[in-house]
């Protein structure tokens, strides 16, 4: 993930995860995938995954739809320690991000969360529960702060040859 030339970096990224057409994964994205299959982390078409994003596919799956924008330094976890476990056990669940979702900078998404179509997660939010379609959420823990009024007619098209 340190290769500065996009088409070369994407060639290697596709060995580890499934990536749709016209999607851009920046340098310094952290991909955690312990499984021999690439399907633990799936990214749809026309997505952008910015620098510093962590995609945790160690236990659960990360499934990202089309036209999704995940901003800098956001973390998507599929596993966490169970605080009620006597042996510090791990619990895990898939994270599903539907089409046209915008995850702003420094967001943390915990295991089992589903982000509905067109929702927006504000900067610095901690998402512990599902977010319904078109809701805008923010805060710790994330709560509804508004409703998105976009018709979601856009296609993300961002693929610079060099990007840090």
């Amino acid at each position: 993930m340190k290769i500065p030339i996009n088409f070369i970096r994407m060639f290697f990224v596709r060995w580890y995860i499934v990536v749709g057409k016209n999607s851009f994964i920046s340098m310094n994205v952290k991909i955690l995938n312990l499984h021999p299959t690439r399907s633990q982390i799936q990214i749809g078409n026309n997505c952008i995954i910015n620098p510093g994003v962590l995609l945790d596919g160690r236990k659960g799956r990360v499934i990202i739809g089309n036209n999704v924008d995940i901003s800098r330094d956001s973390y998507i976890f599929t596993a966490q320690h169970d605080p009620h476990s006597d042996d510090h056990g791990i619990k895990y669940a898939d994270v599903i991000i539907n089409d046209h979702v915008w995850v702003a900078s420094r967001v943390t998404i915990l295991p089992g969360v589903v982000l509905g179509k067109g929702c927006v997660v504000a900067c610095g939010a901690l998402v512990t529960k599902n977010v319904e379609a078109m809701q805008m959420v923010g805060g710790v823990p994330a709560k509804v702060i508004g409703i998105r009024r976009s018709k979601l007619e856009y296609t993300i098209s961002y693929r610079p040859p060099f990007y840090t």
Side-chain angles (χ1 to χ4, degrees):
M1 297 308 297
K2 301 280 186 190
I3 300 168
I5 301 168
N6 184 43
F7 75 91
I8 296 172
R9 182 177 55 257
M10 291 304 295
F11 173 79
F12 290 106
V13 166
R14 284 186 165 91
W15 282 359
Y16 297 101
I17 65 175
V18 175
V19 181
K21 294 179 182 178
N22 300 318
S23 287
F24 175 78
I25 299 177
S26 179
M27 284 178 53
N28 300 316
V29 169
K30 298 167 195 85
I31 297 172
L32 304 178
N33 185 0
L34 302 176
H35 297 269
T37 67
R38 298 175 328 136
S39 63
Q40 275 306 106
I41 300 174
Q42 302 173 32
I43 299 173
N45 300 327
N46 308 307
C47 295
I48 180 168
I49 312 296
N50 282 285
V53 169
L54 172 89
L55 301 174
D56 173 14
R58 293 173 296 172
K59 287 285 188 183
R61 296 181 309 151
V62 176
I63 301 171
I64 299 172
N66 300 319
N67 293 296
V68 172
D69 181 352
I70 301 179
S71 298
R72 288 179 178 258
D73 301 317
S74 292
Y75 293 167
I76 300 171
F77 291 106
T78 61
Q80 65 183 0
H81 287 285
D82 182 354
H84 303 294
S85 170
D86 292 332
D87 61 357
H88 201 53
I90 295 176
K91 59 183 184 178
Y92 60 91
D94 297 344
V95 172
I96 299 171
I97 300 175
N98 286 288
D99 298 346
H100 290 283
V101 169
W102 172 23
V103 176
S105 296
R106 297 194 174 171
V107 166
T108 300
I109 300 171
L110 295 183
V113 168
V114 176
L115 299 181
K117 181 177 180 177
C119 75
V120 176
V121 182
C123 289
L126 172 63
V127 185
T128 61
K129 297 178 182 173
N130 294 348
V131 178
E132 298 297 322
M134 305 303 282
Q135 287 183 337
M136 296 188 301
V137 299
V140 177
K143 294 185 179 5
V144 177
I145 57 175
I147 300 296
R148 192 174 189 189
R149 295 183 301 272
S150 170
K151 292 182 182 175
L152 305 177
E153 295 174 345
Y154 61 87
T155 298
I156 295 176
S157 178
Y158 187 75
R159 291 172 304 283
F162 300 99
Y163 186 72
T164 61

